Amino acid sequence: MNNPTDFDYFNTLLVQNVGSRVGAIAPTITPSAAYGYENAEEAEGIFAAQVNKPLYARVGNPTNAKLEAIVAKMEGGFGAIATSSGMGAISMVCSAFLSAGDELLCIGGFFGGTYSLVNETLARFGISNTFCTVDDFEHIEATLQRGIKMVLFESVGNPSLTLPDIQRIIDLCNKYETLVMIDNTATPLLVRPLEMGADISVHSSTKNMSGHSAALGGIAVFRAVKEEGDKLLNPKYADVHKIVKKMGEKAFIPICKKRAIRDFGMTANAFGSFMTMIGLETLSLRVERINKSVETVAALLDEKLPDGVSVNHPSLVSSPDHARYKSDFAQGCGPLLTLDCGTKERAFTLLNKLNLVIQTANIGDNRTLALHMTSTIYSDFDEETRKFLGVHEGLIRVSIGLEDPKAIAEDFLQAANAL
Ligand code: PLP
């Protein structure tokens, strides 16, 4: 079960870990792409991972390393790898562990980019997939019984806002010794997948973690590999056994570095990692405030929106996910809520009347953002896929920011009243 979040604990942890006590207080940016070695022996040691010094920026950078250490601590993980974007983090994990002939189980609603990665790109490389809704445990268990290698789901469906029973899915994956990766982008601090028994937690740090829409980035956080009986030692993961046996508890990192980062190069850059750390200092403050504001805005809109426009958020009793919100997401499920305007034309009219809210494709920003779904991210998705992902013609996705929640609600209300 996910333990309640102690925001003050994270306020202290994050500012104290991002800043240094001696010398430069802010993190240092090391932009160098290459690093000189003391001598040939040291070069050999670095390449053999026996000497812990930078090798070449495609496989690691001291600024990224600092960010990775902080996020690993924040998520209760053993280690992390910062990537060029959230999609980079998901692609890194998939390409490190899956090969042609493998199958990926995807549970629940998905961000459009992840859906395309799985359904188009990984499929082109011979990795098949099966999708199911969050509570289709019959499908989940039957698929796990086939001996698949990986399960992927979002802690909160974006933009469907479906809430999975995270603990139950993780427990099933552990029962069948199957890797489970959770996209925790919407719920940093609120959901801590690794503490719940997941193997990998990934984030688009572009979103809540950074908060400023100033740095594109991603990060994957890993648990430690167990000395005995680790699921990675199951015969289905035979192709990584050599690395697991050599690297022990830290094996997830070299598996991803050797089998994805080194060859595909989805590496984070130092300046982006610096900006993400600056964002992390205030993450806990922002998450606590924004999650309260989402509830306030949802309640005000639910009460005051005119007929023909409705609001969806799991904190509302009208939501099909309300019971799970109360039991599993009591401190919030991230910055998103959605509006249903009925048609694309009405959604466009509402969006174009907004004064405070910014129209853009990002989420988890300090500012409130909104976007019509079927004409943008989901424009080339067929009707059946859109239905599965909970995306329909009149849908506007809203990501609540730090502004006064009453001012945010008033902006949507004046726009809706002018329809
Ligand atoms: N996962 C989720 C839930 C997202 O909302 C996004 C958004 O873009 C991504 C992954 C991809 O992240 P990025 O844009 O940093 O590649």
Side-chain angles (χ1 to χ4, degrees):
M1 194 61 211
N2 203 30
N3 292 320
T5 303
D6 178 349
F7 291 107
D8 276 339
Y9 166 78
F10 285 109
N11 276 320
T12 307
L13 179 98
L14 291 168
V15 292
Q16 290 288 320
N17 278 274
V18 172
S20 297
R21 300 184 67 82
V22 178
I25 285 180
T28 307
I29 307 173
T30 306
S32 190
Y35 305 87
Y37 314 128
E38 285 283 332
N39 48 42
E41 287 74 19
E42 183 178 85
E44 186 181 33
I46 291 172
F47 272 74
Q50 283 154 0
V51 176
N52 188 16
K53 281 193 174 177
L55 184 154
Y56 176 70
R58 177 159 31 79
V59 289
N61 163 294
T63 312
N64 295 353
K66 177 151 181 145
L67 169 66
E68 290 160 353
I70 297 166
V71 177
K73 208 178 262 188
M74 178 187 113
E75 282 270 39
F78 178 81
I81 299 179
T83 52
S84 51
S85 68
M87 290 315 302
I90 300 169
S91 307
M92 172 184 73
V93 174
C94 290
S95 52
F97 286 97
L98 302 175
S99 306
D102 288 337
E103 182 183 5
L104 178 63
L105 168 61
C106 299
I107 303 171
F110 275 95
F111 160 63
T114 312
Y115 186 86
S116 316
L117 167 72
V118 171
N119 216 39
E120 292 177 25
T121 306
L122 293 181
R124 273 199 292 114
F125 288 89
I127 297 162
S128 64
N129 61 66
T130 174
F131 281 79
C132 70
T133 52
V134 281
D135 285 325
D136 191 350
F137 286 98
E138 214 173 292
H139 184 98
I140 294 172
E141 194 146 8
T143 311
L144 288 168
Q145 275 166 354
R146 283 207 290 275
I148 62 157
K149 282 192 188 159
M150 192 180 289
V151 173
L152 169 62
F153 65 100
E154 294 182 354
S155 58
V156 177
N158 167 15
S160 65
L161 290 173
T162 46
L163 301 179
D165 184 339
I166 297 175
Q167 190 65 68
R168 187 168 168 194
I169 299 172
I170 290 174
D171 291 348
L172 272 175
C173 293
N174 286 335
K175 176 175 166 195
Y176 290 99
E177 299 200 319
T178 306
L179 287 174
V180 53
M181 164 161 60
I182 300 183
D183 183 335
N184 201 21
T185 298
T187 47
L189 309 183
L190 294 166
V191 174
R192 293 185 303 286
L194 302 183
E195 290 176 8
M196 299 170 83
D199 303 292
I200 304 152
S201 171
V202 289
H203 293 260
S204 163
S205 58
T206 321
K207 313 287 181 314
N208 306 271
M209 265 194 204
S210 120
H212 299 74
S213 284
L216 186 75
I219 193 156
V221 194
F222 308 94
R223 65 172 174 84
V225 173
K226 295 185 207 109
E227 259 176 43
E228 272 174 38
D230 196 281
K231 66 169 78 157
L232 276 184
L233 294 170
N234 184 299
K236 67 187 170 188
Y237 301 112
D239 57 342
V240 298
H241 282 179
K242 216 168 121 192
I243 305 177
V244 175
K245 283 180 186 146
K246 186 169 170 212
M247 304 308 287
E249 59 179 359
K250 63 178 174 203
F252 275 104
I253 308 279
I255 289 171
C256 288
K257 288 215 170 171
K258 277 181 187 291
R259 291 166 59 99
I261 286 272
R262 183 191 65 192
D263 301 344
F264 291 113
M266 61 283 272
T267 320
N269 73 79
F271 186 69
S273 294
F274 167 79
M275 291 302 291
T276 305
M277 283 190 270
I278 298 303
L280 277 180
E281 290 194 358
T282 55
L283 178 66
S284 191
L285 282 177
R286 291 184 285 110
V287 166
E288 187 176 15
R289 171 170 171 95
I290 287 174
N291 278 275
K292 281 191 187 136
S293 292
V294 180
E295 286 195 8
T296 308
V297 175
L300 284 169
L301 295 182
D302 195 41
E303 188 192 325
K304 295 184 175 164
L305 276 172
D307 285 352
V309 190
S310 60
V311 57
N312 177 35
H313 186 262
S315 63
L316 300 171
V317 279
S318 54
S319 161
D321 286 293
H322 184 63
R324 191 160 287 157
Y325 183 80
K326 284 281 182 205
S327 59
D328 294 6
F329 294 82
Q331 290 163 295
C333 64
L336 301 182
L337 57 80
T338 56
L339 297 178
D340 183 2
C341 301
T343 64
K344 173 183 166 186
E345 289 66 33
R346 284 168 60 79
F348 272 33
T349 307
L350 189 150
L351 282 167
N352 291 340
K353 287 193 183 299
L354 293 168
N355 299 316
L356 172 150
V357 177
I358 299 168
Q359 293 189 52
T360 185
N362 203 12
I363 61 167
D365 190 78
N366 295 339
R367 292 146 286 243
T368 298
L369 315 175
L371 190 68
H372 179 247
M373 293 283 95
T374 57
S375 59
T376 59
I377 296 173
Y378 298 89
S379 58
D380 58 357
F381 286 53
D382 62 36
E383 216 26 63
E384 201 188 330
T385 309
R386 284 182 185 172
K387 202 167 165 207
F388 174 75
L389 296 174
V391 176
H392 47 83
E393 280 294 326
L395 192 74
I396 294 173
R397 181 185 71 187
V398 178
S399 176
I400 299 294
L402 292 172
E403 306 94 337
D404 175 0
K406 292 189 290 305
I408 301 169
E410 270 160 29
D411 197 27
F412 282 112
L413 288 171
Q414 64 78 22
N417 284 325
L419 280 179

